[in-house]
C-alpha cells in the first residue's frame, strides 16, 4: 500500500472505521482523514483535515501531504434524517467527486484510487435480469436519487482512468450494507415496528457486512496479491439471498402490504411510523429486489467475505433486539398508517388492504 493514504467521508461511521483500520497497516506511514464536518468518533493517530471536497482546496491537501492513495468514501445516499440536506449530499456525491478527481489528475504523487459505489447503479425494474454482472447494462438508467448520482460518479471515474492510465483505479459496487452499526435508510426500514411492503411482491435481497466492507476496502487500497488485480469494477456482496418476507420473519416484525401506486404517498406513511428519509428508489428495491454476481470479486480481486447475506442479516437483527411487539402497539401503528391513507384522495383501496392485514 502507498505510505500516505487520504480517506474522504471520515465523519461517517464507515469512514471512521476504515481510517482506524488502515492506519494499523505496517506499510502505511500516514493517514489523512478528510470531511467537511468534524467526526463524532475517534480517528486514532490519523491526521484530520476539515475540508469540503466540493471546493478546490482539496488539491492543496493532496499536494501538501504528498498523498499516493485516495480512498473515496464520501459517495453516500445521505442516511436517515438527511432528507432536508439532500441537495448537499447530491453536491458532495457529484460535484465533490469531480473536484477530487480533478485534484488527483493534477497530482504527480497519486498512484491508487479506490471509490465506494453501489449496486443501485443497475437500477431495478421488472425487465432487468435476475442477476447482474459488472458488465450488465440496466434496461433503464436510474432517473434520480442516489442511484443516478452513483452512476454519474462512476462515469467521472472512468474518464479519470482514461486520462491517468498510470493510476490503479478500483470501483467497489457494494450491495446493501448492514451490521450492528449500520446507519442507512434500509437499516431504519428494518428497524420499524411495522414494515410496509409492496402488495404482490417478495423481492430477493443481498447484503454485505460492514466488517467485510472495511476488509475489502483495505484489500483494494493495498498492493495486489499474487494472481490478483486491484483495479477494475467489482460487485461486493455476501453469498446467498434473502426474501423480504424472510427478513421480516427473522426480525419478528409484522408487515403491511400496500398497493404499488402508493409510492406517491408512502413517504408520508413512513414518516408517521418514524422514518424520515425513504426514497422512491428504496421502494423500487423493495418491489423488484436486486441480486449481483460476485465471481470477479473472488477470482480477480481475491476477496472472500466472512459473512453470507443471511449471516449479515442475523448480526444486524441481533443488534436491533427482539422485534416481537405487544398486540396493542402493533394495532396503534397500523391504525396510524390506515388513517393517513384514508385522508389521501384515491387511497381507499390501499386502506382496505391495511384493514385486511389487521384482521
Amino acid at each position: 500500500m502507498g505510505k500516505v493514504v487520504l480517506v474522504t467521508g471520515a465523519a461517517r461511521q464507515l469512514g471512521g472505521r476504515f481510517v482506524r483500520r488502515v492506519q494499523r497497516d505496517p506499510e502505511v506511514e500516514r493517514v489523512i482523514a478528510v470531511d467537511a464536518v468534524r467526526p463524532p468518533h475517534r480517528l486514532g493517530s490519523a491526521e484530520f483535515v476539515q475540508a469540503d471536497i466540493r471546493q478546490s482546496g482539496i488539491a492543496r491537501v493532496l499536494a501538501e501531504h504528498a498523498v499516493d492513495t485516495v480512498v473515496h468514501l464520501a459517495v453516500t445516499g445521505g442516511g436517515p434524517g438527511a432528507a432536508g440536506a439532500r441537495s448537499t449530499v447530491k453536491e458532495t456525491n457529484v460535484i465533490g467527486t469531480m473536484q477530487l478527481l480533478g485534484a488527483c489528475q493534477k497530482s504527480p504523487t497519486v498512484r491508487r484510487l479506490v471509490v465506494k459505489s453501489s449496486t443501485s447503479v443497475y437500477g431495478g425494474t421488472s425487465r432487468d435480469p435476475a442477476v447482474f454482472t459488472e458488465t450488465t447494462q440496466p434496461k433503464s438508467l436510474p432517473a434520480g436519487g442516489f442511484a443516478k448520482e452513483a452512476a454519474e460518479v462512476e462515469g467521472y471515474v472512468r474518464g479519470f482512468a482514461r486520462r491517468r492510465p498510470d493510476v490503479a483505479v478500483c470501483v467497489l459496487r457494494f450491495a446493501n450494507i448492514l451490521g450492528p452499526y449500520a446507519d442507512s435508510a434500509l437499516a431504519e426500514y428494518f428497524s420499524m415496528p411495522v414494515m410496509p411492503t409492496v402488495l404482490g411482491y417478495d423481492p430477493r435481497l443481498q447484503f454485505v457486512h460492514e466488517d467485510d466492507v472495511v476488509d475489502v476496502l483495505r484489500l483494494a487500497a493495498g498492493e495486489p496479491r499474487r494472481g490478483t488485480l486491484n483495479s477494475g469494477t467489482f460487485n461486493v456482496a455476501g453469498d446467498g439471498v434473502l426474501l423480504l418476507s424472510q427478513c421480516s420473519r427473522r426480525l419478528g416484525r409484522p408487515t403491511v402490504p400496500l398497493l404499488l401506486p402508493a409510492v406517491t404517498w408512502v413517504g408520508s406513511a413512513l414518516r408517521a411510523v418514524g422514518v424520515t428519509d425513504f426514497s422512491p428508489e428504496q421502494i423500487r428495491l423493495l418491489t423488484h429486489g436486486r441480486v449481483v454476481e460476485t465471481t470477479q470479486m473472488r477470482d480477480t480481486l481475491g476477496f472472500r467475505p466472512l459473512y453470507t447475506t443471511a449471516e449479515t442479516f442475523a448480526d444486524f437483527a441481533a443488534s436491533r433486539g427482539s422485534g416481537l411487539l405487544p398486540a396493542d402497539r402493533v394495532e396503534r401503528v397500523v391504525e396510524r398508517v390506515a388513517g393517513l391513507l384514508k385522508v389521501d384522495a384515491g387511497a381507499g383501496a390501499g386502506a382496505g388492504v391495511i384493514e385486511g392485514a389487521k384482521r
Side-chain angles (χ1 to χ4, degrees), residues 165-193:
D166 58 313
V167 176
V169 178
C170 182
V171 176
L172 300 175
R173 290 175 178 165
F174 290 104
N176 296 285
I177 300 172
L178 285 182
Y181 304 102
D183 59 356
S184 64
L186 187 63
E188 287 291 297
Y189 169 78
F190 283 133
S191 300
M192 294 169 58

Side-chain angles (χ1 to χ4, degrees), residues 252-276:
R253 288 179 166 83
T255 59
V256 178
L258 301 176
L259 295 175
L260 186 55
V263 169
T264 56
W265 40 255
V266 75
S268 297
L270 292 174
R271 282 194 296 273
V273 291
V275 174
T276 58

